[in-house]
Amino acid sequence: MAMEYVLDLTAHEQLRLAAVYAATPDFDPGVALAEETEAHRMLYSDLDAEQQATYQLLVDAGVLGA
């Protein structure tokens, strides 16, 4: 007889996130997101044709976000 266990970490994740924010009062999620978006743009810019085809294959497969 198989038993199914369900563990909900939602409350723990909220506590962890609150601790991160408390430890980094100068953290701005909007700035972090903008910087991450810019890094993504820079990483995937100037790809040659083969690299672009590989990138598109990974995007189409859902491995990478567009």
Side-chain angles (χ1 to χ4, degrees):
M1 179 175 171
M3 299 206 45
E4 182 177 320
Y5 292 95
V6 176
L7 183 60
D8 185 1
L9 296 175
T10 304
H12 175 73
E13 179 60 17
Q14 289 174 346
L15 288 173
R16 186 199 66 78
L17 187 57
V20 168
Y21 285 146
T24 55
D26 58 340
F27 177 71
D28 183 349
V31 171
L33 180 59
E35 290 173 348
E36 184 176 326
T37 301
E38 178 62 13
H40 183 272
R41 186 197 64 73
M42 290 172 61
L43 180 63
Y44 295 111
S45 64
D46 298 325
L47 299 178
D48 64 27
E50 183 180 355
Q51 292 168 330
Q52 184 62 41
T54 302
Y55 171 77
Q56 193 59 50
L57 179 72
L58 293 171
V59 169
D60 292 344
V63 175
L64 293 175

